[in-house]
Amino acid sequence: MEIFYSNVNLSQKLLACKQPNQSIGFVPTMGALHQGHLSLIETALLDNDIVVVSIFVNPTQFNNIHDLKSYPKTLEEDVKKIESLSSSKVLIFAPTVEDIYGSSVKSSKFDFGGLEFQMEGEFRPGHFDGVATVVRRLFEIVQPHIAYFGEKDFQQLQIIKKLVTIMKANIKIVSCPIARESNGLAMSSRNMRLSSSDKDLASKIYFVLKNVKEQFATNDINTINQWVKTQFEMDDTLKLEYFHISEESTLSPTTTIMANTKYRAFLAAYIRDVRLIDNIALN
Ligand code: AMP
């Protein structure tokens, strides 16, 4: 398994790979890998000759210093997990902060046409500037043909599609379904900070989303919004931060349904200081 800690070494290797027209797939991650990440890597392995997996906890996308400091770092285990999928076709890229940012650890400013101000953008100001800054830099280093992102972070996925347009880059973005625990909880590196009873409580998030999907066929959105609020008022361990039914393309919350439009329900909630997000396609 080849691990690259500097972009210069990775670029040299990729240059050699690209000569015989090999296709390069790319899976950016922040590490602490779970089955959700591995499913992206598996899909990338099916489509490409070489798959680059980056492992980099990007400081500029955290707006909460405690969240950044407590983010799990498990490089050794991550390497073993990737190795169990393929040791010959995957290159791991684990750069330093300096490799990505040089001496100035700052985000660039982006205009994503309003996508960046909804939901996560409202509650995590500057988050998507941080995400786009690191992904743009990683795209420049890796120059992939195809990059893989999870629907778990659906807003991020839409923003990355827009970023590729802004960059005028010839990179195909592939979206991958949400991997879940057996109780329905969306897999997340942050789940490592939950006890098993927390995980039981957190399974309510998916229970609510599934129920919303059923209600979407018959109930109006104001009624659904009220029902969701009530579900979270029953218990103060799991605190709702936001719930929205939004159009997939604009991510704008809506209370009226239009024909030929795709909608998703989005939810963020806290268990103590652990923040969880999830979403579900409604039609
Ligand atoms: P992260 O390490 O959290 O930055 O995630 C890296 C990539 O894995 C992103 O594209 C995420 O959307 C994706 N991802 C994270 N969790 C899941 C999941 N449960 N199912 C599918 N993809 C996921």
Side-chain angles (χ1 to χ4, degrees):
M1 172 67 57
E2 287 187 84
I3 308 177
F4 297 84
Y5 297 99
S6 105
N7 56 15
V8 179
N9 294 347
L10 178 72
S11 297
Q12 278 168 356
K13 171 77 184 182
L14 288 172
L15 207 62
C17 292
K18 272 179 191 154
Q19 276 161 2
N21 276 333
Q22 294 202 311
S23 79
I24 312 281
F26 180 39
V27 181
T29 82
M30 297 207 295
L33 301 185
H34 50 66
Q35 189 50 45
H37 299 111
L38 299 184
S39 68
L40 269 59
I41 301 171
E42 279 166 340
T43 308
L45 280 167
L46 291 175
D47 299 342
N48 298 281
D49 300 300
I50 300 284
V51 174
V52 178
V53 178
S54 65
I55 297 179
F56 178 67
V57 181
N58 174 33
T60 63
Q61 72 186 70
F62 287 80
N63 57 325
N64 175 331
I65 188 75
H66 171 69
D67 193 24
L68 172 61
K69 286 199 169 144
S70 58
Y71 203 85
K73 294 189 185 68
T74 58
L75 184 61
E76 235 174 84
E77 286 99 319
D78 292 347
V79 172
K80 284 190 196 137
K81 286 178 186 167
I82 296 172
E83 222 157 16
S84 74
L85 301 180
S86 167
S87 57
S88 57
K89 283 179 69 176
V90 179
L91 308 177
I92 298 178
F93 181 38
T96 60
V97 171
E98 203 182 4
D99 239 324
I100 297 294
Y101 286 99
S103 57
S104 171
V105 187
K106 275 205 302 219
S107 303
S108 303
K109 289 261 172 274
F110 292 85
D111 177 355
F112 295 113
L115 290 176
E116 70 274 38
F117 302 124
Q118 306 292 349
M119 299 182 291
E120 295 300 285
E122 182 186 344
F123 288 94
R124 302 180 71 187
H127 170 68
F128 288 115
D129 281 337
V131 169
T133 302
V134 75
V135 172
R136 181 179 62 186
R137 175 84 176 116
L138 290 168
F139 279 172
E140 284 163 0
I141 296 169
V142 178
Q143 297 184 23
H145 300 99
I146 314 179
Y148 297 80
F149 290 85
E151 289 181 354
K152 158 82 170 25
D153 302 283
F154 192 85
Q155 186 171 11
Q156 169 174 283
L157 174 66
Q158 298 296 63
I159 281 176
I160 299 298
K161 286 181 183 164
K162 195 108 187 183
L163 174 69
V164 169
T165 317
I166 293 169
M167 287 175 70
K168 299 189 174 68
N170 190 13
I171 302 170
K172 181 179 169 193
I173 302 300
V174 170
S175 60
C176 301
I178 302 173
R180 299 183 178 281
E181 310 273 357
S182 53
N183 69 2
L185 175 64
M187 288 187 180
S188 163
S189 305
R190 290 185 175 86
N191 293 358
M192 281 183 189
R193 295 174 51 210
L194 299 178
S195 67
S196 63
S197 62
D198 287 342
K199 283 187 182 171
D200 285 345
L201 276 171
S203 68
K204 179 155 186 183
I205 294 172
Y206 187 52
F207 164 82
V208 166
L209 289 176
K210 272 194 311 185
N211 204 303
V212 164
K213 188 180 172 106
E214 278 169 29
Q215 292 189 45
F216 185 76
T218 48
N219 290 0
D220 68 81
I221 292 185
N222 286 328
T223 309
I224 298 176
N225 287 344
Q226 194 48 51
W227 179 82
V228 172
K229 256 181 97 183
T230 320
Q231 288 301 306
F232 282 87
E233 278 162 6
M234 287 174 188
D235 177 349
D236 29 288
T237 328
L238 190 59
K239 288 200 171 67
L240 182 65
E241 185 171 65
Y242 66 74
F243 170 79
H244 292 301
I245 290 179
S246 304
E247 276 181 56
E248 278 197 0
S249 58
T250 62
L251 301 178
S252 310
T254 189
T255 46
T256 50
I257 305 296
M258 288 180 303
N260 305 320
T261 308
K262 288 198 153 197
Y263 294 96
R264 247 170 214 264
F266 296 87
L267 194 157
Y270 276 93
I271 287 199
R272 291 186 310 282
D273 62 339
V274 183
R275 188 170 182 276
L276 302 169
I277 59 170
D278 202 349
N279 68 84
I280 196 166
L282 297 176
N283 58 351

